[in-house]
C-alpha cells in the first residue's frame, strides 16, 4: 500500500535525526494519484511510523506539485508561529 512507503520514509527520518515523534507538530505529505483504499496517506504513514495520533496529518493531492505544496504549507505553519517541527514532503 502507498502508506507503507511513507511509513518507511518517516521511520528513517526519525531514526537518522533523533527526533522524538511527540515533538512533531504536523505531518504533511503530497501524492500524485490518490490511493482509493487510503484516503489520507500522511495520517496512515504517520501512525504506522509511531507518531502519536494527537499529531495532525494531512495529504495534498495536486498531481506533480503536491510535495512542493506540502513543504510550502509546512513553512507557512512555522512562519506564522503555529508549529515548530513539521514533517513534510
Amino acid at each position: 500500500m502507498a502508506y507503507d512507503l511513507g511509513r518507511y520514509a518517516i521511520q528513517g527520518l526519525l531514526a537518522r535525526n533523533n527526533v522524538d515523534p511527540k515533538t512533531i507538530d504536523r505531518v504533511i505529505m503530497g501524492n500524485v494519484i490518490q490511493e482509493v483504499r487510503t484516503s489520507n496517506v500522511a495520517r496512515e504513514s504517520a501512525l504506522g511510523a509511531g507518531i502519536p495520533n494527537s499529531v495532525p496529518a494531512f495529504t495534498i493531492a495536486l498531481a506533480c506539485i503536491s510535495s512542493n505544496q506540502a513543504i510550502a504549507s509546512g513553512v507557512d505553519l512555522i512562519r506564522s508561529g503555529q508549529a515548530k517541527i513539521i514533517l513534510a514532503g
Side-chain angles (χ1 to χ4, degrees):
M1 296 290 287
Y3 60 84
D4 286 324
L5 183 58
R7 176 173 50 93
Y8 293 136
I10 292 171
Q11 288 172 330
L13 284 169
L14 294 175
R16 280 197 314 261
N17 293 291
N18 195 26
V19 174
D20 181 356
K22 295 175 194 158
T23 64
I24 296 172
D25 296 309
R26 192 87 34 105
V27 177
I28 310 168
M29 298 178 82
N31 65 4
V32 175
I33 299 172
Q34 185 70 33
E35 167 64 49
V36 295
R37 292 175 288 181
T38 307
S39 60
N40 189 349
V41 174
R43 183 72 170 159
E44 297 293 332
S45 298
L47 292 174
I51 294 176
N53 64 1
S54 59
V55 176
F58 65 90
T59 302
I60 296 172
L62 295 173
C64 298
I65 198 73
S66 297
S67 62
N68 286 345
Q69 183 60 53
I71 293 166
S73 296
V75 169
D76 287 343
L77 289 166
I78 292 169
R79 280 183 164 170
S80 66
Q82 297 178 58
K84 291 187 180 186
I85 299 177
I86 300 288
L87 195 155

